[in-house]
Amino acid sequence: QVQFVESGGGSVRPGGSLRLSCAVSVDEFMFSEMGWYRQSPEKQREVVATISPGGTISVAESVKGRFAIYRDTSKKILYLQMSSLKSEDTAVYYCNKLSDQWPWGQGTRVTVSS
């Protein structure tokens, strides 16, 4: 059974930075297109960024130029480096596969507020 833990969230001021991590317990991570998602009370869960096993990256327009996704395959960790954070980035962030998704984890909360 897959286990994964999202971490790295917190409270920051606008313009600040955070790095989120998602540690995955199964080798399936290495062969799957992975993504970071986020959900706020006002919106449905949305894809923030994805990365394929070959390293092809896609980033949502709303975070382009500010967020970067990368993975450490040897450690089975997915990262999301977030900078120039805005209040609208406030959400709970989750990681998961892009398709045939695992059950969702607890996520990690990011709050951007002055």
Side-chain angles (χ1 to χ4, degrees):
Q1 183 175 351
V2 64
Q3 293 181 338
F4 53 97
V5 179
E6 301 106 336
S7 62
S11 295
V12 296
R13 296 185 183 278
S17 299
L18 286 172
R19 188 180 74 165
L20 307 184
S21 300
C22 173
V24 181
S25 64
V26 294
D27 290 345
E28 189 178 355
F29 170 86
M30 295 186 288
F31 311 109
S32 301
E33 186 163 12
M34 295 294 300
W36 280 99
Y37 303 76
R38 68 184 181 187
Q39 185 169 20
S40 62
E42 303 83 23
K43 296 181 181 179
Q44 292 186 337
R45 187 175 288 147
E46 60 178 350
V47 177
V48 175
T50 64
I51 184 168
S52 74
T56 300
I57 290 170
S58 177
V59 180
E61 282 297 321
S62 59
V63 303
K64 195 165 288 185
R66 301 188 298 119
F67 289 13
I69 185 172
Y70 58 102
R71 62 201 294 169
D72 185 328
T73 301
S74 64
K75 296 180 180 178
K76 291 182 283 189
I77 300 177
L78 183 71
Y79 296 99
L80 185 69
Q81 179 67 50
M82 306 187 296
S83 59
S84 301
L85 282 161
K86 304 176 181 180
S87 58
E88 51 262 45
D89 297 319
T90 295
V92 179
Y93 286 72
Y94 303 86
C95 71
N96 211 321
K97 298 190 296 179
L98 207 61
S99 61
D100 191 22
Q101 291 166 332
W102 299 313
W104 292 92
Q106 295 297 311
T108 185
R109 182 174 298 276
V110 172
T111 303
V112 185
S113 174
S114 55

